[in-house]
Amino acid sequence: MPSISSVRFLYGVALFVVTASVCCYASPHVLPLTHHMVTRKTLQVPSRTALARRDDEDTMMGGNVKAVFPLQGNINQFGEYFINITIGTPPQVMRVQVDTGSTDLVMYGFGCNGCPKASNVSLYACSKSKTCSPIDCQSDEFDCDVNNCWNDNYCPFDEEYGGGGSMQGYATQDILTLGPYKPARVSFGLIMSAHGAFEDTGVDGCWGFAYDQLSSWGSGPIVDTIINENQLYDAFGLCLNQDKPTLEIGTDYSSNSQFQWTTITEEIWYSVHMDDLSVGGSSLGFSAFTLNANGVIVDSGTTWIIFSDKKIWTKFQDSITSLCSKYHLPGVCNATTGKTLFDGYCYNMTQQDVGNFPDISVALKGIAPALTVQAADYIYQGAGIPGVYC
């Protein structure tokens, strides 16, 4: 059962908390707000055994715990946010990306072909857990593709992600432990074959928070299991800032005046209604019908704004290029065709150069003023080279 009926926003939070995407279909036109065609740094975290914990301010309400979990990662360096969870008996610590653009929990499995071989990446081993049980391909509980069973026996999955990665494997079940919550038996995917740029930052998998319909084997989102098992308020929240990102489960902000709300328009992804899109304070001039024609989703697992309509992309790019009459924007003004910032290339810039790029604002239904991301948050220092920005 879906756990969220609306999305909350704290006034003043930068746009990357929303990371709105106009759904990408054939031939997408992509603006990489932070990372594209640039190798991201591998995640380096001192302690993998430091599990997500309950915050000191958490309270017990009728025996139920509402918890705040610190996240790892950030926008500018990694372009993703991560959390440590434990799976199995005895527990195996796995570091997974928090992703509102997918539903399933998927992790690299022991024996995977094409999975990262870095020392900081863990592979989940079902054989080492007394409570692990692969899901039978003929299971009545799950929606398995019986024509493509994994190794003729197990419930298969085959998933692709907007960031360019794809993977195949089989679904299994085991005990998940997260902070103060009761251990819960959950289903998740073991990645046994991986391709492309899926989780290339040194994490072990992806934890999806979206709705049931996106599950590859017909399972509900794990956050619903946690909420139901612990009798929590039916909500989760993400604060994706640069310094202290957090995940909250079970906290009721519905009467908190600091927050504004926008309605979920379709319960598959977290789809919202975009009223307007502006660059440098000027609307691009498209109707809400055009902006929402293919849907608009809130996706914590990407730092891109993706347009499926070429005319929106062209107007967006032209609005930034038009500032060349006032400022020199490296990578935009007089840049070689095919090697611009819009193509994912990086350029030497001063802080003044960065400051000359315009704000980008997204107006969502019921949210005022519009959510705005400043140039310093989307023109980032790329490839770890001082003075080089992308």
Side-chain angles (χ1 to χ4, degrees), residues 105-313:
L105 170 63
V106 293
M107 299 181 297
Y108 295 130
F110 185 79
C112 172
N113 178 30
C115 289
K117 300 184 183 300
S119 60
N120 63 334
V121 174
S122 291
L123 307 179
Y124 172 84
C126 183
S127 61
K128 294 183 179 181
S129 173
K130 296 184 294 185
T131 47
C132 177
S133 57
I135 295 173
D136 189 275
C137 195
Q138 305 296 326
S139 170
D140 294 330
E141 183 180 355
F142 299 95
D143 184 15
C144 304
D145 182 358
V146 296
N147 295 317
N148 293 286
C149 301
W150 187 267
N151 285 350
D152 297 326
N153 296 315
Y154 302 146
C155 187
F157 71 87
D158 187 339
E159 296 192 355
E160 295 185 7
Y161 288 77
S166 66
M167 72 291 301
Q168 298 78 39
Y170 63 90
T172 188
Q173 291 181 300
D174 209 338
I175 303 300
L176 177 144
T177 304
L178 182 68
Y181 298 133
K182 300 175 183 177
R185 190 163 186 80
V186 300
S187 66
F188 56 96
L190 276 186
I191 303 170
M192 302 307 296
S193 178
H195 313 275
F198 175 72
E199 298 305 350
D200 56 355
T201 52
V203 297
D204 312 322
C206 182
W207 179 6
F209 281 71
Y211 292 96
D212 303 34
Q213 294 94 318
L214 295 181
S215 173
S216 289
W217 54 90
S219 176
I222 285 176
V223 68
D224 281 1
T225 301
I226 294 172
I227 287 171
N228 294 333
E229 290 281 336
N230 294 274
Q231 301 180 21
L232 304 175
Y233 179 75
D234 197 11
F236 73 87
L238 290 170
C239 181
L240 304 183
N241 58 29
Q242 187 70 9
D243 300 319
K244 294 182 179 180
T246 57
L247 163 68
E248 295 186 54
I249 301 177
T251 305
D252 181 4
Y253 285 103
S254 60
S255 60
N256 190 323
S257 61
Q258 288 185 288
F259 294 91
Q260 298 186 57
W261 302 80
T262 190
T263 301
I264 297 297
T265 59
E266 185 178 20
E267 295 184 355
I268 300 178
W269 293 276
Y270 292 100
S271 300
V272 295
H273 186 276
M274 183 186 294
D275 287 335
D276 199 10
L277 179 64
S278 301
V279 174
S282 298
S283 171
L284 295 188
F286 293 104
S287 67
F289 176 83
T290 299
L291 292 172
N292 294 276
N294 291 318
V296 179
I297 70 169
V298 179
D299 184 1
S300 66
T302 180
T303 53
W304 294 352
I305 290 182
I306 305 173
F307 303 102
S308 64
D309 190 324
K310 184 176 182 179
K311 63 178 177 290
I312 299 177
W313 165 250

Side-chain angles (χ1 to χ4, degrees), residues 51-69:
L51 303 182
R53 57 174 174 76
R54 195 180 78 189
D55 188 84
D56 291 340
E57 296 181 358
D58 296 339
T59 59
M60 298 291 291
M61 303 181 64
N64 302 327
V65 180
K66 60 176 185 178
V68 180
F69 300 96

